Amino acid sequence: MRHTKQNIAKTSKQAHQGKRTGGVLLFGFHAASAAWLNSERHCQRLLLTQTSIRQFETLIAQAKKLGLKRPTPEVVDGRVIEKQLPAGTVHQGILLEAENLPDKELDDLLQMTQLPKSLVVLDQVTDPHNVGAILRSACAFGIGAVLVTERNAASQTGVLAKTASGALEHTPIIRIGNLSQSLKKLQGAGYWCIGLDETGEHALHQIKMPAKVALVLGAEGEGLRRLTIESCDEIAKLPTMPPVGSLNVSNAAAVAIYEVMRQIKN
């Protein structure tokens, strides 16, 4: 099971081998199991309760069959897991200590022989629940990658991975520096950058999607920044109805991603 759905170039793997940004505690069945079977994940410790180990047995055997180097699972009381996580965390009796995934670069993506038809770009979305939910939608509908800003953006935490429900292992997150410059790079590679904002003249479904689309979404509450709006090729809106004037960024992303992919596939 590879981290990249579209198989980002081998040069990327060679360039970033060993370039990781620390460790993370992954909890919950979907997040931990996807990481366990991802060859790009370095797993260090797996804690399971007596109940959850029965769920994990098939995955342990599968990892061995794939030749993945994995630690021997430790069966512990649920309270041992709870002590390592914030109060109230729903861990399902599973805690995987692992290294973060290797960094991916925008240039690596743009050097691919066959570029993804669609990307999602997040303008300073900081809530890990929102980023995780967006990543899950992106993976479900076949988005090639999710681009996030290096500053004022959610990091690869256990909360993000849990919300993404395994999608973190399949759809790459690419961190970018200057968002406006990155949008220019995407445009130079043939992407039509569509920003989602209430100020858009047309509804998203009224826009005829070109061959390659980068969907740009703004931060919680603030939306897209002015310079980001100016850097997009087009601004579109979702035609919500009163009394609800707008959607949460992760909900808006799910609707918008579906519409973009519906048009591209048709």
Side-chain angles (χ1 to χ4, degrees):
M1 189 176 295
R2 308 302 296 169
H3 173 54
T4 57
K5 225 174 189 181
Q6 305 275 350
N7 192 20
I8 286 180
K10 291 181 180 179
T11 53
S12 168
K13 295 175 187 177
Q14 293 168 352
H16 300 291
Q17 188 174 10
K19 184 181 177 183
R20 297 167 188 262
T21 54
V24 63
L25 296 178
L26 301 172
F27 49 87
F29 180 77
H30 293 295
S33 61
W36 185 259
L37 295 178
N38 183 0
S39 60
E40 290 198 18
R41 276 283 187 191
H42 290 178
C43 300
Q44 298 161 329
R45 192 182 186 198
L46 176 64
L47 303 183
L48 301 169
T49 62
Q50 195 66 54
T51 301
S52 65
I53 194 171
R54 289 195 289 271
Q55 287 182 293
F56 230 82
E57 283 176 348
T58 302
L59 295 163
I60 293 169
Q62 194 173 346
K64 287 182 180 178
K65 188 175 181 180
L66 292 171
L68 300 178
K69 185 179 180 181
R70 293 293 181 252
T72 302
E74 303 173 39
V75 181
V76 299
D77 187 277
R79 289 171 293 187
V80 174
I81 295 176
E82 289 168 5
K83 286 180 181 178
Q84 300 188 55
L85 297 170
T89 298
V90 181
H91 54 73
Q92 298 175 290
I94 302 170
L95 180 65
L96 176 63
E97 183 179 337
E99 290 185 17
N100 279 325
L101 290 165
D103 291 337
K104 304 293 180 181
E105 302 288 341
L106 179 57
D107 287 343
D108 297 324
L109 176 72
L110 297 181
Q111 288 170 10
M112 291 173 60
T113 304
Q114 185 174 356
L115 293 175
K117 292 182 178 179
S118 55
L119 304 169
V120 167
V121 183
L122 303 182
D123 184 7
Q124 298 191 340
V125 179
T126 58
D127 188 333
H129 292 94
N130 282 332
V131 177
I134 292 169
L135 197 63
R136 184 175 184 177
S137 297
C139 184
F141 292 113
I143 296 291
V146 175
L147 282 59
V148 301
T149 51
E150 288 181 346
R151 295 184 179 182
N152 298 320
S155 56
Q156 294 183 31
T157 62
V159 172
L160 187 154
K162 178 73 161 55
T163 309
S165 194
L168 181 59
E169 311 301 320
H170 302 285
T171 300
I173 292 180
I174 297 175
R175 295 197 175 271
I176 54 178
N178 186 295
L179 180 53
S180 296
Q181 290 180 4
S182 297
L183 291 178
K184 287 181 181 178
K185 281 188 176 182
L186 293 176
Q187 290 161 340
Y191 284 95
W192 188 254
C193 297
I194 303 176
L196 203 63
D197 192 84
E198 294 174 12
T199 63
E201 183 178 351
H202 300 290
L204 184 64
H205 71 275
Q206 295 174 326
I207 297 174
K208 183 175 176 58
M209 302 296 167
K212 295 198 292 291
V213 173
L215 183 65
V216 189
L217 298 116
E220 303 89 346
E222 298 178 4
L224 296 175
R225 290 175 292 171
R226 178 188 57 81
L227 190 55
T228 303
I229 289 176
E230 293 174 357
S231 300
C232 289
D233 295 298
E234 193 163 6
I235 301 298
K237 61 184 176 182
L238 295 179
T240 55
M241 300 179 66
V244 178
S246 62
L247 296 174
N248 170 279
V249 64
S250 61
N251 293 329
V255 175
I257 288 170
Y258 173 79
E259 176 58 25
V260 169
M261 297 308 294
R262 182 189 70 82
Q263 287 201 38
I264 288 177
K265 288 182 178 179
N266 290 337

